[in-house]
Amino acid sequence: MTLLHTTRVRRRRLGVAAAAAGLLATLLTAGPAAATPDPGDTPAKGTISSEQAAEARSAIKSGEIPGVDEIVHSDNIEHLANIPKDALKGTNSDLAFQGTYAFSGNYDGFRIFDISNPKAPKTVAQVLCPGSQNDISVSGNLLFLSTDSSRSDNSCSSTTQPATEKSSWEGMKIFDISDKSNPRYVAAVETACGSHTHTIVPERRNVYVYVSSYSPNATFPDCQPPHDGISVIKVPRKSPEKSAIVNFPVLFPGEGPDGGGNPGSPTNPGVSKTTGCHDITVLPSKDLAAGACMGDGILFDIEDPEQPKVIDRVQDNVNFAFWHSATFNQKANKVVFTDELGGGGAATCNAEIGPNRGADGIYDIVGKGDRRKLVFRSYFKIDRPQAPTEVCVAHNGSIIPVKGRDLMVQAWYQGGVSVWDFTDSSKPKEIGYFERGPVTLAQVTTAGPWSAYYYNGYIYSNDIAKGLDVLKINDRRTDPAKRVRLDELNVQTQPDYFDRE
């Protein structure tokens, strides 16, 4: 374990740091094709000008941004531990939790940590199973892993293979984790266009898996346009080898080869064309789900998990480029949608981009039943500017469970970890943060927290480059959450926290 020294710098205002003007000009005029979400197997890299590098060095010297790899944080955040990457060298991705274990996705496979002592997590197992994303969830003795890169077969020893070949494989892998030190690969289900992310809807006998995937192509035999829906997999807990797709509900019905989602550019310049969903969050206690679907945000009913039904759909063709993820508040009367401007490959936390683009969108849910509507209230974006080499983007986060408040912790890649309050939907505000300075000042680099989640009194952050971080927040506004305990947490399957106290 490596416990890194923590320091503080003074609060900075958005607008102090330099903007990566040349990179962003290319990014924002290229249209949806530039908004490829999440880093690929090779992290994003790009050059900056000597003037931009000089401005970044000046900002570091003045204390306006942290130095290279320097750790800074607000007074109410403690950095307890960092566990660097080990056998799995790929991009770290999502996190899931069960009891005293944390499960960390990595583009090369997944890692299991014993977090019974959050100050000193220990590695229990590392499983090599390449397949980009490796989005991860757990339920009982089962672990689910998404593969969103074209592979030669469904094994963990597969190699890359073009999606134009019919024999190529992408989809869901399922492991038995009854022995945490020795996970067993037990089943696989191929899904159209792979599985970029997935969301589980657990039941007593079965687990339903909603598979989000997108970007079809007429040259891909297993990923044909318009692909305006999601794959629904039914997994029998006692016989996971019998897992199978039971439905492919179309969420964006429409005639023609492009379906009925957001058409993107040139109709809506700079907005991603909707060809599926990026991520879905379900709230089983309320039979609700929210989908972040490229150019659209949707609210749908999952009372029948095999037949999800869309209730409302919204677009933001002014400030949102790519609807990335969704989070409900505990009362299920709000949804936070994130915009992955630049697809996780550009520096977007700066004055040139501003506070409304590449931000979170906060929506109230008004009305009842099938007449419920998503009503926009405001944007939230971190106001701590980043160096022009730092890929910064709104990414995965979770609710911090406090009655009477809407609090959230969220990852922002090299923007770090932000804790913020959206109790007043129209006036969100940051109340704490943790971040590292740029990885380098030589080139644009993908790094920083992919996921930042609150679990049983602590914040766990999966840093793309640096490994697992454990944080603790000490603040009167968040302290009541320390009493809430869960047996299991998959953030995209939001629990009813207070029924479990």
Side-chain angles (χ1 to χ4, degrees):
M1 182 188 76
T2 302
L3 183 59
L4 299 179
H5 177 64
T6 58
T7 59
R8 294 186 65 245
V9 295
R10 58 190 173 87
R11 181 77 172 185
R12 292 154 285 135
R13 293 181 298 105
L14 187 64
V16 175
L23 172 67
L24 289 169
T26 300
L27 167 72
L28 298 174
T29 58
T36 303
D38 301 326
D41 293 316
T42 302
K45 292 183 179 180
T47 59
I48 62 171
S49 69
S50 58
E51 291 82 5
Q52 290 166 341
E55 287 188 47
R57 288 192 294 271
S58 176
I60 290 172
K61 186 176 181 180
S62 68
E64 292 166 350
I65 65 174
V68 173
D69 281 341
E70 180 186 6
I71 289 178
V72 298
H73 55 83
S74 54
D75 285 337
N76 56 359
I77 298 283
E78 292 181 68
H79 186 209
L80 301 181
N82 170 262
I83 312 298
K85 292 180 184 179
D86 189 15
L88 305 177
K89 303 299 185 183
T91 296
N92 276 336
S93 56
D94 215 358
L95 291 168
F97 305 89
Q98 188 180 81
T100 57
Y101 296 95
F103 303 82
S104 166
N106 180 285
Y107 276 40
D108 287 340
F110 65 93
R111 188 174 181 181
I112 303 177
F113 294 98
D114 180 341
I115 55 171
S116 53
N117 179 2
K119 295 181 180 180
K122 297 178 180 179
T123 299
V124 175
Q126 298 188 73
V127 177
L128 180 65
C129 196
S132 66
Q133 283 290 120
N134 277 339
D135 190 45
I136 194 167
S137 297
V138 293
S139 183
N141 289 331
L142 299 178
L143 180 147
F144 303 88
L145 205 64
S146 287
T147 298
D148 193 37
S149 60
S150 187
R151 312 295 297 181
S152 56
D153 55 51
N154 64 9
S155 73
C156 285
S157 58
S158 66
T159 58
T160 59
Q161 183 169 291
T164 52
E165 296 187 23
K166 177 62 180 172
S167 63
S168 296
W169 186 91
E170 299 180 66
M172 289 299 309
K173 295 170 181 169
I174 304 170
F175 292 77
D176 184 315
I177 54 168
S178 51
D179 180 355
K180 302 293 189 294
S181 65
N182 186 30
R184 294 187 301 110
Y185 184 11
V186 295
V189 179
E190 185 172 15
T191 56
C193 301
S195 175
H196 193 74
T197 66
H198 69 269
T199 305
I200 64 171
V201 184
E203 293 186 332
R204 181 171 296 181
R205 295 182 179 180
N206 304 298
V207 180
Y208 287 95
V209 184
Y210 290 166
V211 176
S212 295
S213 56
Y214 50 89
S215 294
N217 190 304
T219 67
F220 299 164
D222 299 318
C223 184
Q224 292 287 299
H227 191 71
D228 273 347
I230 58 174
S231 297
V232 180
I233 300 173
K234 183 177 181 180
V235 181
R237 289 188 184 276
K238 294 184 177 180
S239 304
E241 70 279 359
K242 296 180 180 178
S243 300
I245 295 172
V246 293
N247 195 14
F248 186 87
V250 174
L251 304 178
F252 304 97
E255 297 181 359
D258 294 330
N262 195 318
S265 294
T267 304
N268 297 315
V271 178
S272 291
K273 175 182 176 181
T274 298
T275 58
C277 289
H278 177 276
D279 211 344
I280 293 169
T281 293
V282 297
L283 193 56
S285 63
K286 303 290 193 297
D287 290 328
L288 269 182
C293 303
M294 305 181 74
D296 295 88
I298 60 173
L299 184 70
F300 52 106
D301 184 306
I302 59 166
E303 184 176 6
D304 180 351
E306 293 189 18
Q307 302 284 343
K309 182 177 63 174
V310 174
I311 298 172
D312 194 27
R313 167 186 169 193
V314 290
Q315 297 178 353
D316 180 345
N317 294 319
V318 175
N319 288 314
F320 259 50
F322 189 96
W323 297 66
H324 175 275
S325 53
T327 303
F328 288 101
N329 68 336
Q330 179 59 31
K331 290 184 178 180
N333 60 7
K334 299 176 188 177
V335 182
V336 175
F337 289 102
T338 68
D339 176 21
E340 194 181 46
L341 175 66
T348 65
C349 297
N350 50 52
E352 182 174 353
I353 295 299
N356 294 339
R357 301 170 71 195
D360 296 329
I362 304 167
Y363 287 75
D364 285 351
I365 302 174
V366 300
K368 296 181 179 180
D370 290 348
R371 295 185 177 182
R372 283 173 285 192
K373 297 291 183 183
L374 293 164
V375 179
F376 173 77
R377 295 303 186 203
S378 66
Y379 297 107
F380 170 78
K381 188 176 182 180
I382 59 172
D383 65 355
R384 293 169 286 107
Q386 308 300 308
T389 58
E390 292 185 278
V391 170
C392 178
V393 70
H395 224 245
N396 293 0
S398 77
I399 290 296
I400 299 178
V402 175
K403 285 185 176 179
R405 284 187 178 270
D406 294 323
L407 304 173
M408 187 171 174
V409 58
Q410 185 178 358
W412 286 81
Y413 276 24
Q414 287 194 76
V417 174
S418 176
V419 179
W420 58 290
D421 186 329
F422 63 104
T423 305
D424 183 340
S425 303
S426 299
K427 296 180 180 179
K429 58 184 179 181
E430 185 174 73
I431 62 174
Y433 69 91
F434 168 91
E435 69 167 288
R436 290 180 172 88
V439 171
T440 177
L441 293 180
Q443 60 188 10
V444 180
T445 304
T446 297
W450 175 293
S451 301
Y453 298 147
Y454 189 92
Y455 177 68
N456 290 353
Y458 298 88
I459 294 168
Y460 296 87
S461 168
N462 212 18
D463 190 291
I464 290 168
K466 300 296 185 181
L468 181 74
D469 286 305
V470 185
L471 311 175
K472 188 175 183 180
I473 182 166
N474 298 296
D475 189 291
R476 60 179 177 77
R477 292 163 290 192
T478 61
D479 284 346
K482 296 176 182 179
R483 298 193 295 268
V484 179
R485 287 291 182 268
L486 302 177
D487 297 324
E488 193 170 88
L489 177 63
N490 301 287
V491 168
Q492 287 73 36
T493 306
Q494 282 190 223
D496 189 335
Y497 289 97
F498 302 114
D499 282 351
R500 296 167 178 259
E501 286 189 71

